Amino acid sequence: SVRWSLSGEMRAVTLNYLSTSFGTDHPFQSAVGVDLGGTKLLIRYRDHSFRFDTGPMFGAADLTKILKSFIDAHTEPGCVIGIAIPGLIENDSVAACDVLPGLIGWSARTLLDPRISRTSLVNDAKAALHATALDLPIDSTAIAVMAGTAIGCGIMVNGRQLLGAHGWAGELGYWPIQTSVSQWLRLDEVAGGRYMANRLGVDGNQLALLGRQGNQAALDVISQGGHALGGVLGGLINLFNPHRLSVGGGALWLPGYWTEAQAQIDALAIPSMLAGCEIRTVHGVEDLVAMGAAQIALKTLC
């Protein structure tokens, strides 16, 4: 591994190198796929895989520096880059990003140089939707929900991605959850990994460790998060009648989280709609979002 010092803050992130082999038709053979989240930055290209630790202070200068260094080291002229981020995109720039507020205003055009033929910036849940729905018939309805630091969602209805008035549809993390007679919270605040950890005054890794150790306070917070997520997922099934619901993200590794979510889906989804919906968990596919970002970049190039 190599340690990189990030500009401005004298912080360091660890760069881990992995090597895998892909077939010639794999999107990473033709495009760089980037998945930026609240805890990690993952970059895939051909046989190269780099992972960086991020966090709330990770910002635009950090992202630009790391991506340009990767491009300089590994890409060839004419390269295509697909970048997925956990926020709202407008005019190929980050319009809003609760998870990484230092990213607001960053533009993928920052990376353009004579070697780069195309950059594409996309919401991470919409990238996950693209990657998880490619094998479905073209007129299918599908939903992808990513439960990580926060909650994101991408929706495809009858073969067309649901975008909304400004392309921002799918902000599931803002779904209101009533936690008491007088209190409403966002789904993010109840079921997002960072928010669950914050309620105990720990970070995400410590929350997972406490849960595995059987700490009751941690297990209660995790259970409440899974309960809230499952209720909303059941509502999505009732609302959209999807052929497939794909659920991923690091929160699904938390002990009891997905089990509680499944129980609520079973309890609240209309049985006939639930029976017609294939539910997939994709949290074990670490490069899923990066893959979707690369696929979208290649698609927009055509």
Side-chain angles (χ1 to χ4, degrees), residues 11-174:
R11 292 182 293 114
V13 291
T14 302
L15 179 154
N16 296 311
Y17 177 81
L18 303 171
S19 179
T20 55
S21 296
F22 300 127
T24 57
D25 60 344
H26 198 285
F28 296 138
Q29 289 290 354
S30 304
V32 177
V34 180
D35 172 16
L36 175 59
T39 59
K40 67 144 186 349
L41 168 65
L42 179 67
I43 310 173
R44 301 298 304 267
Y45 180 62
R46 298 191 174 173
D47 291 339
H48 307 294
S49 178
F50 291 89
R51 180 187 172 107
F52 304 81
D53 293 333
T54 60
M57 300 303 294
F58 189 92
D62 302 328
L63 179 61
T64 299
K65 179 176 182 178
I66 293 170
L67 288 180
K68 283 190 172 182
S69 295
F70 182 91
I71 292 166
D72 288 343
H74 299 292
T75 63
E76 300 172 358
C79 182
V80 176
I81 303 174
I83 305 161
I85 64 99
L88 304 182
I89 310 300
E90 186 173 38
N91 298 325
D92 220 22
S93 298
V94 181
C97 188
D98 288 349
V99 173
L100 298 169
L103 209 63
I104 296 172
W106 186 82
S107 172
R109 292 185 292 273
T110 303
L111 301 175
L112 287 177
D113 68 33
R115 291 169 304 161
I116 307 302
S117 64
R118 167 73 175 154
T119 62
S120 171
L121 190 61
V122 64
N123 174 269
D124 57 352
K126 290 180 173 62
L129 172 67
H130 191 87
T132 56
L134 273 181
D135 62 323
L136 289 173
I138 59 173
D139 60 347
S140 295
T141 294
I143 300 172
V145 173
M146 301 303 290
T149 301
I151 313 296
C153 178
I155 302 168
M156 181 176 73
V157 178
N158 298 333
R160 299 189 65 177
Q161 188 176 110
L162 183 65
L163 297 175
H166 300 286
W168 299 342
E171 282 300 302
L172 195 64
Y174 276 74

Side-chain angles (χ1 to χ4, degrees), residues 224-244:
Q224 291 163 12
H227 183 97
L229 179 70
V232 172
L233 295 181
L236 287 178
I237 291 172
N238 296 341
L239 186 62
F240 289 102
N241 186 24
H243 295 92
R244 178 181 294 167

Side-chain angles (χ1 to χ4, degrees), residues 33 55 114 130 152 158 173 193 218 220 242 287 300:
H130 191 87
N158 298 333
D220 287 345
D287 62 5
T300 56

